[in-house]
Amino acid sequence: MTRLTFALAASTLALAAAAPALAEDLRIFGWAGEMPDEVLQDFEAETGIAVTFDTFDSNESLIAKLDAGGSGYDLVNPSQYAVQILVNRGKLAELDHSRIETYDKIGPSFTQVSYDPGNKYSIPYVWGTTGLAYNKTCVDAPITGWKALFDEKYKGRVYMLDNMLAAYIAGLQVNGFDANTTDPAEIEKATETLIAQKPMLAGYNSTNFADLVSSGEACIVESWSSSVLQAIQDNPDVVYVLPEEGGTMWIDGYSILTDAPNPDAAYRFLSYILRPEVAAKTTELTQTATVVTESKALLPDALAKNPAVFPAESTIANADFILDLGDAMKLYQDGWTRVKAAQ
């Protein structure tokens, strides 16, 4: 029996001895693929709280849903820049950390994040990086940076993520710019770089790019770290790299809405998912890094020591967070329209 299995078994026995609480409802709007059904079912079994978990595929979809009003959700799952936007729009409640029993389980590096100092409005949940993956069988040397995505020798075998900000990360950093620049000249240069790249791409792809690089149909793909882990496990020729130009880190957290119908249930859920054994189970099932430091000791070594899941501090030292870019977002949106229209 593994340490994680033992911990979960002990937790299950304890739960079985306790009568479930009076049934309540909890409605959550979260990222697809980051919250295992098993974790939701375990929470329901322990608490008697019935969970409805709806999913979105982009922060923009989440923001639009909340802007429309009357969502009825208690908890939402924004990434860092979306936290800033939603706070500015008055959508997120200020959190009472004393009501989150396991708040102290969050690793120190995740308690003072720049986009939400002190985790005032958002509790970090999982994190990862944006970089690139390549297949060793179709490159002539190890890939180390974004520049490979613009190399003509890989024409027709490169995919970029079909995501505006992700594409601009590469377009900006390959030119030596910060991924969060608001400088119109730098944004324009990145736009021109992405337009010039367009003819050599096989396409923009945010769905099955991991399969494409694993099969060798693609040589190099821009990638989110968590999305390519299964391909790495299945095919030892697939390598994930955080580019030398920096790449970015992302954190997806949970926030309680200001108009949440069931804030008590929301706090119970936050306390639950930050338990070390629950966070470890989440990482095993989703292969996404947890912010709960103690959980790593409960994971198989192959996962806990996988640099694509838990990169070394030195590796992520130059990575940027993608933050709310304010009025400059219009420049990105206009540029992205031009990029997608380019032939």
Side-chain angles (χ1 to χ4, degrees):
M1 181 179 287
T2 66
R3 287 169 290 178
L4 175 56
T5 303
F6 180 81
L8 290 172
S11 176
T12 300
L13 289 173
L15 298 179
L22 182 65
E24 300 176 67
D25 292 321
L26 178 65
R27 294 193 64 209
I28 305 173
F29 198 32
W31 279 100
E34 288 186 357
M35 178 57 68
D37 288 341
E38 288 184 38
V39 171
L40 297 175
Q41 291 162 5
D42 290 347
F43 174 77
E44 288 181 325
E46 173 177 341
T47 64
I49 296 172
V51 179
T52 299
F53 195 97
D54 297 329
T55 62
F56 57 83
D57 59 4
S58 73
N59 283 296
E60 288 67 34
S61 297
L62 165 63
I63 293 166
K65 179 76 170 180
L66 298 184
D67 278 346
S71 72
Y73 291 113
D74 301 294
L75 282 166
V76 291
N77 187 199
S79 305
Q80 60 283 344
Y81 72 92
V83 172
Q84 294 177 303
I85 292 171
L86 293 172
V87 168
N88 289 336
R89 297 182 184 180
K91 302 295 185 181
L92 305 185
E94 186 171 341
L95 297 171
D96 179 355
H97 292 168
S98 70
R99 299 182 66 184
I100 304 172
E101 298 170 1
T102 48
Y103 180 77
D104 62 344
K105 301 299 183 183
I106 299 173
S109 59
F110 296 101
T111 58
Q112 289 297 329
V113 291
S114 59
Y115 61 89
D116 182 25
N119 299 335
K120 191 174 181 180
Y121 295 97
S122 178
I123 296 300
Y125 170 58
V126 294
W127 65 282
T129 59
T130 302
L132 52 85
Y134 67 94
N135 189 312
K136 291 190 291 187
T137 64
C138 66
V139 299
D140 52 15
I143 301 300
T144 60
W146 292 130
K147 57 185 179 294
L149 294 172
F150 301 83
D151 192 329
E152 284 286 341
K153 67 185 173 185
Y154 301 119
K155 184 175 182 177
R157 302 186 72 182
V158 173
Y159 285 88
M160 293 284 284
L161 288 169
D162 192 8
N163 177 285
M164 179 185 76
L165 292 177
Y168 270 94
I169 291 166
L172 288 163
Q173 289 185 339
V174 78
N175 284 299
F177 305 141
D178 189 288
N180 288 298
T181 186
T182 58
D183 185 319
E186 293 181 351
I187 297 170
E188 176 60 24
K189 175 63 175 177
T191 300
E192 293 170 356
T193 297
L194 293 174
I195 289 173
Q197 179 201 35
K198 191 82 177 288
M200 64 160 285
L201 292 179
Y204 282 92
N205 186 315
S206 292
T207 53
N208 68 331
F209 58 88
D211 294 333
L212 295 172
V213 76
S214 182
S215 69
E217 181 176 338
C219 285
I220 311 170
V221 296
E222 187 182 22
S223 174
W224 293 299
S225 57
S226 57
S227 299
V228 78
L229 289 175
Q230 191 61 53
I232 292 172
Q233 290 185 354
D234 295 342
N235 184 351
D237 289 324
V238 178
V239 179
Y240 177 79
V241 176
L242 194 61
E244 58 193 0
E245 298 94 341
T248 61
M249 283 183 62
W250 51 264
I251 296 176
D252 293 340
Y254 277 97
S255 299
I256 299 176
L257 294 177
T258 52
D259 60 353
N262 302 293
D264 291 343
Y267 275 110
R268 292 188 70 179
F269 186 78
L270 294 178
S271 297
Y272 182 81
I273 62 174
L274 292 176
R275 293 179 188 173
E277 69 274 14
V278 174
K281 184 173 186 176
T282 298
T283 293
E284 281 210 74
L285 293 174
T286 67
Q287 300 192 348
T288 307
T290 174
V291 302
V292 178
T293 305
E294 291 179 33
S295 296
K296 289 184 70 174
L298 303 174
L299 295 170
D301 283 350
L303 194 55
K305 296 180 179 179
N306 187 332
V309 184
F310 295 102
E313 288 290 333
S314 58
T315 305
I316 61 176
N318 295 324
D320 294 324
F321 269 130
I322 293 298
L323 304 176
D324 177 19
L325 300 173
D327 292 341
M329 189 63 75
K330 181 67 163 54
L331 299 176
Y332 284 92
Q333 292 166 341
D334 290 346
W336 185 235
T337 299
R338 289 163 54 202
V339 171
K340 295 305 288 284
Q343 299 299 315

